[in-house]
Amino acid sequence: DKLYEGTDLIDPDDIEGLGITFAWHKVGETEIISTEPYIHFANVSEDDEGQYVCDITNACGVHTENPFQIIVKSSPQIVGQPQDLEVCEGESLDVTVSATGDNLTYAWYRNNGDGYQFLGEGDVTNQGSTYHAPTVAVAYGGSYYCVVRSGIECGTQYSDTVMVSVGTLPRITMQPRPAVMALCEGEEYGLGIRATGEGIHYQWYNN
């Protein structure tokens, strides 16, 4: 049987009879785990993995049941949370979570103001431990989190919610006019430009 860490197992065989005793143990070991007609794992862990048998005894002798094996699958555990990120428009984006467990799957979600949306097919992402976008736009800014599941139904883990900030590239909204200007020596003249963006600095050059 396959068991998941943290679950219970009761495996009774309903064997009844006068003077019968039971002795459960691991194959190759002598330590008696249970003397009941069943073996009970209150909180299964990897240490419980292995083959088990039950020796059934009465006045006429001993009968040993065929061994059965317990395989313990690891529940997902997040060991590395994603981090807040700042990227510029046009750059690549990688949001990463680290997890341990068996047969893990990852599902990323983003909220850029319209509620959380699953980043599935049609988006520039692989549904793995890293959400990757090769070229981000302003719409990629927002809060992100990842749902980590075990493909063998051993549980679900939710990552921390992190913020991705996307800085916009500077855009010129007004060019200097006219492009060519004839001036008389001694005249006063000024050039102006308008631009949008975050944290803009201006530097003029004479060509």
Side-chain angles (χ1 to χ4, degrees), residues 120-191:
E121 294 182 3
D123 203 353
V124 283
T125 177
N126 52 36
Q127 285 300 302
S129 60
T130 296
Y131 170 85
H132 174 71
T135 306
V136 301
V138 174
Y140 285 78
S143 53
Y144 289 71
Y145 74 91
C146 184
V147 180
V148 184
R149 295 185 176 90
S150 168
I152 53 174
E153 300 179 356
C154 277
T156 300
Q157 290 285 306
Y158 295 83
S159 78
D160 292 344
T161 299
V162 297
M163 181 62 64
V164 173
S165 301
V166 179
T168 57
L169 295 170
R171 289 179 172 81
I172 295 176
T173 59
M174 186 188 75
Q175 296 282 356
R177 291 289 185 271
V180 178
M181 183 69 180
L183 300 174
C184 295
E185 189 176 7
E187 277 189 279
E188 181 178 337
Y189 186 71
L191 291 174

